Amino acid sequence: MTDIRTAGYDEWLDSIDTGEGYYLACPNGHGSLPPRAVCPHCGSAELEEETLPDAGSVEAHTIVHVPTPRFDGEAPYVTAVADFGDVRLTGVVRGLAPADVEDGLAVVPTVVDREDGEGRLLVLEAR
Ligand SMILES: [Zn+2]
């Protein structure tokens, strides 16, 4: 899991943490998250930072009953993919009981410190 702990991703988490979230947009309207050198959809190297919408909506979700060791003690929890316009974010849903999470739920991205002290976690907070 060291591949996501790059400076680019950490800086991106900082941007979410301070309420100044962004994503990378290419001239063809594709969105992606850092670290990226080129657009993962079309290969364009002309990536610009665009402001991330304040809220997104859950597009797909899964209730996890048997967690990976890193999430031991947190199950059951919900992981979701949320639609933020040109870009999608994947995170753990908080603020609602797992059974109450539905596709279409409005969520706000936040960053929390992991309970095991092993870095930070993107959370999709139900609103
Ligand atoms: Zn593109």
Side-chain angles (χ1 to χ4, degrees):
M1 301 295 271
T2 53
D3 57 331
I4 61 169
R5 286 194 209 168
T6 65
Y9 189 75
D10 269 344
E11 286 166 10
W12 181 78
L13 285 178
D14 286 342
S15 81
I16 297 293
D17 205 17
T18 56
E20 296 173 349
Y22 67 92
Y23 64 95
L24 302 177
C26 83
N28 296 316
H30 303 132
S32 59
L33 299 180
R36 292 283 178 194
V38 298
C39 173
H41 304 284
C42 69
S44 170
E46 294 177 49
L47 300 179
E48 295 196 346
E49 292 185 10
E50 291 284 340
T51 302
L52 187 74
D54 292 335
S57 65
V58 170
E59 194 173 78
H61 70 282
T62 306
I63 298 179
V64 179
H65 294 282
V66 182
T68 61
R70 290 190 68 190
F71 286 87
D72 210 15
E74 295 182 34
Y77 60 88
V78 177
T79 60
V81 178
D83 182 0
F84 284 78
D86 289 338
V87 73
R88 289 173 175 77
L89 304 186
T90 301
V92 174
V93 179
R94 297 251 171 103
L96 260 189
D100 292 336
V101 175
E102 301 181 323
D103 289 350
L105 176 74
V107 289
V108 176
T110 60
V111 178
V112 300
D113 290 323
R114 293 192 47 83
E115 287 174 16
D116 62 9
E118 296 279 323
R120 294 180 293 174
L121 182 69
L122 182 71
V123 165
L124 300 169
E125 191 82 41
R127 53 169 8 185

